[in-house]
Each structure stands twice: as C-alpha cells, then as structure tokens.
Amino acid sequence: MAETNPILPANRSLLYLIAFLTGLACLALEIVAFSVLAPSVGLNIYVNGAVLSVFMMGLSVGYYVGGRMGDRSRGFLPLVAAIAIVAGLVAAVPSLKGPVENLVLRQPPLSHALEAFLFAAALFLLPSVLLGFVSPFIAARLAAGGKGVGGTVGRVFMVSTVGSNAGALLTTFVGFNYPISEQLFFISVVLGASAVLGILASVLAAAAARPASAGAGFPPAVSVPPAAAPVSRLPLMALAFALPLLLGPAAAPAATEATHSDATIYEKDTFYHHLTVRDIDGKRYLIFGANRKTGGEDGERTQTSQSGMMLSDPNRSCLTYTDYFHFAFALRPKAKRIALVGCGGGSTPKEFLKNYKDIELQVVELDPEVVKVAKEHFKLPLDDKRLKVTVEDGRRFFRIAPPEQKYDVILLDAYHHSWLPFHMLTKEYFALLKEHLTDDGIIVQNLIAALENPPPGDKGKGKGKDLLHSLLKTLELTFPTVYVMPVPGYDERIDRLDRARVRNVMLFATRDKKRMSLSELEVAVKAGIEARRIADYQGLQTKAKTMLPERLEPAAGQVLTDDFAPVNHMVPIP
C-alpha cells in the first residue's frame, strides 16, 4: 500500500525518539519531585497525593491542548517551543524553589495537605502541562491526512510509555545516587536534546516542502506553505531552545553545602531522607526532611530533630525523650541483650554503652548515610565491641534473623514526625518481634502522638489520639500490659501536662499479667539507681511520675494490620 502520510521516514523516526525522550523525562521528573518537596514539606501521604494529582492535572490539560494544536498546526514550532520551555523550567527548579518556599510556607502555616499541593503546583504544574502536550501533538502530525490514525496514536503513546518506564528505572536505581540538582539538570539536558531533534525535524520538513511547491514532491496540503516559512522561524526556535541555557547557569548543579551560614554544618540528600546537621547554642541536632521555623523557645530546634547532642558532652542528649529508654532497666533489671531500631544520631546507643557495661547492643538502621553521620558528627563509637550496627529495614531484620536470636529489650525509635513506616506498626510486626524476645522481654516504643484530640476549632494542636489509641489496641493483642509515659515539653510541669498536646509518648509493652503501679515503678527506679543498675539520667526518678497510673483505655482508633494501617492519615502534624 502506498504511504499516505507525507512525513519523511527520517522525520517519523525523530518524532518517535522525541516521544520516547519526553516520556522518560516526564516520569523521571515526577519521581524527583518527591525529593524536591521533602526538605520543605516532608514526605508523607499528603505529599504523595499532591505530587501525583498535580502531574495528572497537568498532563490531562497538556493532552487536550497538544491534540488540538497538532490538528491545526502544519509545522513543529509549537512542539519545539513547548519542549524548550519545559527544559528551562526544569533546570530552574533549584533556583525557583527558594522563592516558592517563602511564598507557600507561611506563619502561621497552612494545612500540611494544602502546603504540599501549592508547593507541587507552583514548581511542577506548568512543566507537566507542557510535557503532556508533546505526545498528542506528535500523534496528530504523524496521522495528518492519512489512514491508520488509531495505530499511529497507539504507537506514539507506546513509545512514550516505554520512555516513562525507562525514566522510572533510571531515576529509581541510578538517579538517587546523585544530588537532586544533578538529577534535574540531567532531565533538562534530555529535554534540550529533544528540542534539538524538533528543530532538525523542522529543517527536514522545510526541505521536503520545496519540491512539493514545484509539483514534484509531497502534496502541498501537508507541507508548510510558503516553503521559506519554516526557515524564517528557525531564529525563534533557536531562541526557544536557548532558554534552558539562559536559565541553566543559575540552576546548575551545586554541591550540597551549608545554606545557613550560622548553624548548618552538613546537609545531604540520601535515598531515604534529606539530612541536616545543625549546631545551635552549644547543641548539635540531626534533622530529617523539613526544617521550617515554628516559633517559640526551642520550637525550631526540636520539632523535626531526630537526635540532639550537647557539644560539651557527646554522650549527653539534649532531647528529653531518650532519657525514658532507661526505664527499661526498671522493668527488666537483668536485661543484657538490647536491640534498637532506628539509629538517628546515636544518642541512645551512646548513653547505654556509657552507663551499662555488661550489655550487648544491636542497632538496626535503614539509611547507611545516617550511620555515617552518627559516627562522624555525633561520636557514635562504632569500634565498641559491645555495639553492632546493621543497615537493614527494621522489619526485614527480624524476619530474616534466626529464631534463636532473642533480646531482653527491643527499642523502637524509627518513626518520623510527619511520616510513619506503616509496616512497622502492625499486629503482624509486633507478633514478629515477640518471636525474638526472651520470655519476659519487653518492647519500648517512642511515638509522636497526643493523649487526647484538641477541642473542636482549636487549630493550634495536631490530632494524635487516634494514632496512639490505634497503636495501643494493636500492641495489646500481643502484649497485654502496656505502660504509657508522655514526655513533658520544655515549658510543662510534669504534674500539669496538656493532654491534647502533640509530644513524644513512650510505650512500654510487656507480657506481665500484673500491672505495676506508679509507686512500684518509683521504688524500682530508686532501687536500680542505688544498685547502680540504672543510670539516674537527668532526674529519672522525677520523670517516673509521668507514667499514667491507670491503663489508658483505647477508645478511638483501630487495630493496625498489614492489610490496612492508615497511620499516615493519623499523623499529628501541628
């Protein structure tokens, strides 16, 4: 059958290649967007939904506009311009992020979901519209005036989707080994190459149009009249292509160095986190993800801090909640084999190794860079023979451990302030931990939650009751006696805790049939300190008074399972 589509074979190949490359760039950009947003708005279900919805909205608009313009256009200038502009926008994301952050992240803050959506839309809505424009435009040009429209559209979108798959694989398995700015720069280069191919396609179309006007070439209906028009537009196309080069110097990949001249001493994007180490007033903090100012004394310093260390004494934490892990030795004075899930800056391992000479401590940490930071910036003694650090997921570690590998105490400190690994909060997980506890072994868990939800209309506090109560319901399926110890804030008296305040809440899960009273705990702590079995860490006897004297009845929430654990909808974000 004779070829009814006038596009030259070389041009057809170029257009399919453009579809592939822009498809690659589109999905790569969508994946990188999560990492771009993480330092500013964190990583949780709201950020995931915001990024996905922004891209879907943009692509849907781009599909419609690209198809309409492809039907009406006889040249490739709109295609080249769209690709060149999006290349420039992607290259400029690192430069645009700061102004967008100042505009969106206000005080008082918007809701977390709205912040995430506005941030994502400001940076990625227009690029996603322009990327959505490409494939339907190409499909329309390839199918112009010919038969087999359905086949042509199918092939274009197949090639584009194969490109997207390549982008996903490259970004996931290769791209995260590089800084975000370099990933964005690579994407802009891919798009720039696509724009060059678009210019080449225009030149070939112009060359094909000349013999058509003399009656010896392709039908004039599908050429670009007059013949000289495409050539006259080449300067415009060259200018459009130059856009990323003009914006690029301001957005070229930069080393991840200190951005706060007074405080930040280390900053790096890893596969799992955006890590920041900051020194403030004689204290050093390790921060995951967002690090916005929240106002109030110590508010900025501790809201997102995973670990804190006194620079004058590296073995002393400046975050109060780590002191509460020592209560494990009041409940189990003979404990020697300890496992800790979540390393952070190593505050708890350092305190335990210093004060309990006869223990064996196993630390499990997902992010190898966190372990490196703990050693280099927080003095974690990795050379101590009593300490073993394993880089592994906190659930898989126990799943693959031999059955005889058991612990007297398992400490859980792997929960981010705005994102929770749901698979480490389910009844199946706690049943797995039980298999690796000794007969009287216990679990000690740090959680960010609240004892009660705030009154209606009170927007100053997050809602953490559902999370705490869900976890209690889940724990009590395996551990019938769970002690709850809320950690006071810097401005609170122990006997006057705001039950609706979002805070660290320590949970001690045991298989004891008889519940220890508050007075019995105080006696156990005093006896342990006198016997030098418990370190009186910064007033541990006084802190014992924070234990709720009675069982907290889990009236809200639900049992968390591997099949359904909506914990990230329960995260209490102030």
Side-chain angles (χ1 to χ4, degrees), residues 32 35-36 94 171 174-187 251-257 267-271 273-274:
V32 173
S35 298
V36 172
T171 307
V174 179
F176 281 145
N177 294 318
Y178 299 90
I180 293 173
S181 56
E182 293 185 9
Q183 295 181 56
L184 291 167
F185 190 74
F186 169 77
I187 294 170
T256 51
E257 298 176 353
E267 192 166 8
K268 182 175 181 179
D269 292 299
T270 76
F271 190 85
H273 305 291
H274 178 83

Side-chain angles (χ1 to χ4, degrees), residues 121 369 529:
E369 192 64 28
I529 292 173

Side-chain angles (χ1 to χ4, degrees), residues 51 284 294 402:
V51 171
R284 176 166 293 175
T294 57

Side-chain angles (χ1 to χ4, degrees), residues 226-285:
V231 177
S232 66
R233 293 174 181 173
L234 284 177
L236 292 177
M237 291 187 284
L239 179 61
F241 175 62
L243 183 60
L245 300 179
L246 296 174
L247 295 175
T256 51
E257 298 176 353
T259 56
H260 306 279
S261 59
D262 62 326
T264 301
I265 63 171
Y266 172 90
E267 192 166 8
K268 182 175 181 179
D269 292 299
T270 76
F271 190 85
Y272 302 100
H273 305 291
H274 178 83
L275 300 181
T276 306
V277 177
R278 301 185 67 191
D279 286 351
I280 305 175
D281 299 334
K283 303 172 184 177
R284 176 166 293 175
Y285 296 93

